[in-house]
């Protein structure tokens, strides 16, 4: 079994690699990307270093893998962050130099399609961080959400426990990055609804694994970066969240069911389910439709869990994944879920 360890933390003034391991969308939408770079420098004191494919559309898997390998190999780079997600990062994984990366551990930050690289790093023995891409969270119009900004700062620079708290206000409605007016006003938010707890009669502490549900499903299909020794997940905390593709409830159920058939669900002591992304530019739902979609997704996860691991502690609508604010979670790091106290604490 691979030992998973936290890599050394960067300090203000250090260099951070900015990569596009999936999609080179900074080429199409420079405004949120450059805003994110500016905040990395001004707000966090880090020096962003771009790699050749960061602003390149349709870069090959080989070219993107070369950038990842180079970023981890560079001794002057102390952390790595993704510009955004995408669709085909799974094709990059076989081209990564696992031994090179294992010998040069660094904190990596990313989400969505970057769940591929997070799972790779987990199997390489490196704790990484689910969340905080340059274009989305750092490039948020007007200002980063304070909870996101604080969580990222703690994950970047500190070690030790950090308590998550339900958002008082949140959003998943986006505006078009191609419209300059998008960046002239704060995004509209709605009142928070808190977290929803199931089987909350115990305290669980374990290492986090999972990520974007659609990506986890593809990894299962490709039999890639899912350990055949399922004991590595024993007592862990499973992270699940869905993207702006908004998979319908029955597909969510089928994917979670497949995890149960693989024997995965039974291994975890707790499941954290991110607040469902219930609106997208391609599917602009009404508030009523969005609420119904989120409820159906919760029921789909519950249905599958009741088949395979009915007593597992589950928390729904946690503020991570494709939502705003977004907590950064230590992937492979320790997460404590206290059911009786209704508290979630991560260790950065």
């Amino acid at each position: 079994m691979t030992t998973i360890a936290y890599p050394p933390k960067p300090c203000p003034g250090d260099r951070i690699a900015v990569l596009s391991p999936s999609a080179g969308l900074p080429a199409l939408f420079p405004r949120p990307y450059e805003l994110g770079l500016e905040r990395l420098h001004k707000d966090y004191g880090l020096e962003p270093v771009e790699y050749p494919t960061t602003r390149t559309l349709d870069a090959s898997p080989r070219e993107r893998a070369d950038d990842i390998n180079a970023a981890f190999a560079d001794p002057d780079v102390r952390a790595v962050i993704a510009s955004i997600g995408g669709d085909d990062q799974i094709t990059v994984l076989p081209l990564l130099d696992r031994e090179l990366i294992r010998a040069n551990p660094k904190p990596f930050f990313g989400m969505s399609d970057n769940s591929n690289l997070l799972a790779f790093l987990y199997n390489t023995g490196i704790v990484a961080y689910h969340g905080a891409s340059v274009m989305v969270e750092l490039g948020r119009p007007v200002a980063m959400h304070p909870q996101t900004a604080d969580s990222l700062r703690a994950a970047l620079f500190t070690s030790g426990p950090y308590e998550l708290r339900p958002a008082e206000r949140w959003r998943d409605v986006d505006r078009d990055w191609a419209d300059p007016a998008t960046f002239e006003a704060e995004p509209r938010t709605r009142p928070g609804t808190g977290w929803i707890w199931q089987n909350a009669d115990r305290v669980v502490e374990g290492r986090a694994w999972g990520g974007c549900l659609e990506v986890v499903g593809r990894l299962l299909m490709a039999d890639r970066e899912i350990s055949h020794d399922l004991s590595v997940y024993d007592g862990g905390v499973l992270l699940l969240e869905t993207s702006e593709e908004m998979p319908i409830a029955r597909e969510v159920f089928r994917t979670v069911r497949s995890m149960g058939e693989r024997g995965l669900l039974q291994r975890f002591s707790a499941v954290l389910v991110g607040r469902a992304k219930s609106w997208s530019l391609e599917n602009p739902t009404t508030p009523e439709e969005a609420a119904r979609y989120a409820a159906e997704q919760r029921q789909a996860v519950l249905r599958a869990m009741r088949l395979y691991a009915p007593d597992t502690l589950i928390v729904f609508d946690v503020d991570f994944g494709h939502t705003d604010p977004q907590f950064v979670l230590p992937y492979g790091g320790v997460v404590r879920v206290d059911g009786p106290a209704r508290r979630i604490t991560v260790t950065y």
Side-chain angles (χ1 to χ4, degrees):
M1 177 177 175
T2 301
T3 300
I4 303 173
Y6 288 85
K9 300 277 186 172
C11 298
D14 283 344
R15 292 155 65 90
I16 182 170
V18 179
L19 307 177
S20 295
S22 298
L25 292 184
L28 287 180
F29 303 105
R31 180 67 180 272
Y33 174 66
E34 290 169 3
L35 183 56
L37 295 183
E38 180 182 340
R39 288 178 179 149
L40 275 176
H41 177 66
K42 290 186 176 179
D43 297 348
Y44 293 92
L46 296 170
E47 296 297 331
V49 180
E50 278 192 24
Y51 280 70
T53 64
T54 305
R55 300 196 199 213
T56 303
L57 288 175
D58 301 322
S60 71
R62 176 78 268 172
E63 290 169 323
R64 285 175 277 150
D66 287 346
D67 278 359
I68 297 169
N69 291 330
F72 276 89
D74 188 340
D76 292 329
V77 167
R78 303 306 300 274
V80 182
I81 189 169
S83 66
I84 197 166
D87 180 64
D88 72 337
Q89 195 176 109
I90 194 169
T91 65
V92 175
L93 298 183
L95 306 173
L96 298 178
D97 188 332
R98 194 182 298 272
E99 293 311 312
L100 179 151
I101 292 171
R102 180 181 285 121
N104 298 277
K106 295 170 185 180
F108 170 76
F109 294 81
M111 54 159 286
S112 195
D113 200 37
N114 292 289
S115 296
N116 287 285
L117 189 47
L118 294 170
F120 174 93
L121 292 170
Y122 182 101
N123 286 337
T124 307
I126 300 171
V127 172
Y129 297 90
H130 183 284
S133 63
V134 174
M135 295 179 69
V136 182
E137 290 74 38
L138 281 150
R140 184 179 187 268
V142 180
M144 291 182 70
H145 192 289
Q147 284 182 288
T148 306
D150 188 71
S151 171
L152 175 57
R153 185 176 302 279
L156 273 167
F157 301 126
T158 71
S159 300
Y162 182 93
E163 185 172 351
L164 312 186
R165 298 185 183 277
E168 293 184 3
R169 298 191 66 85
W170 67 280
R171 70 163 184 110
D172 65 353
V173 175
D174 304 312
R175 296 180 65 188
D176 188 355
W177 280 340
D179 182 358
T182 292
F183 297 91
E184 296 174 0
E186 276 268 357
R188 292 183 180 179
T189 59
R190 65 185 87 172
T193 55
W195 301 336
I196 300 171
W197 295 74
Q198 299 283 334
N199 299 325
D201 58 351
R202 73 207 75 162
V203 179
V204 166
E205 187 171 283
R207 291 192 176 273
W209 181 88
C212 183
L213 182 67
E214 297 99 298
V215 174
V216 172
R218 292 167 198 154
L219 289 172
L220 282 165
M221 284 188 284
D223 195 22
R224 188 166 293 165
E225 300 304 330
I226 309 290
S227 178
H228 289 186
D229 176 9
L230 298 184
S231 69
V232 303
Y233 307 114
D234 283 351
V237 176
L238 177 61
L239 311 177
L240 296 176
E241 56 95 15
T242 51
S243 76
E244 74 282 354
E245 293 180 359
M246 295 175 57
I248 59 176
R250 68 171 173 266
E251 290 304 320
V252 170
F253 168 75
R254 288 168 178 168
T255 301
V256 181
R257 179 180 63 187
S258 293
M259 296 175 70
E261 288 295 318
R262 182 71 176 260
L264 278 168
L265 298 184
Q266 302 89 322
R267 297 287 180 166
F268 293 94
S269 295
V271 182
L272 302 185
V273 183
R275 187 186 299 278
K277 178 70 169 172
S278 58
W279 188 101
S280 72
L281 289 167
E282 292 74 26
N283 187 7
T285 55
T286 66
E288 295 76 18
E289 290 169 338
R292 184 166 58 252
Y293 173 84
E296 290 172 352
Q297 186 175 114
R298 285 192 292 270
Q299 288 303 311
V301 174
L302 269 178
R303 180 183 166 203
M305 291 300 300
R306 285 169 177 160
L307 287 173
Y308 298 96
D311 297 326
T312 304
L313 170 57
I314 309 173
V315 192
F316 289 98
D317 291 1
V318 183
D319 303 278
F320 75 96
H322 291 73
T323 189
D324 179 40
Q326 179 205 85
F327 286 114
V328 177
L329 303 185
Y331 194 107
V334 176
V335 177
R336 178 182 174 87
V337 187
D338 186 334
R342 301 296 197 268
R343 297 174 71 177
I344 301 173
T345 305
V346 301
T347 299
Y348 289 142

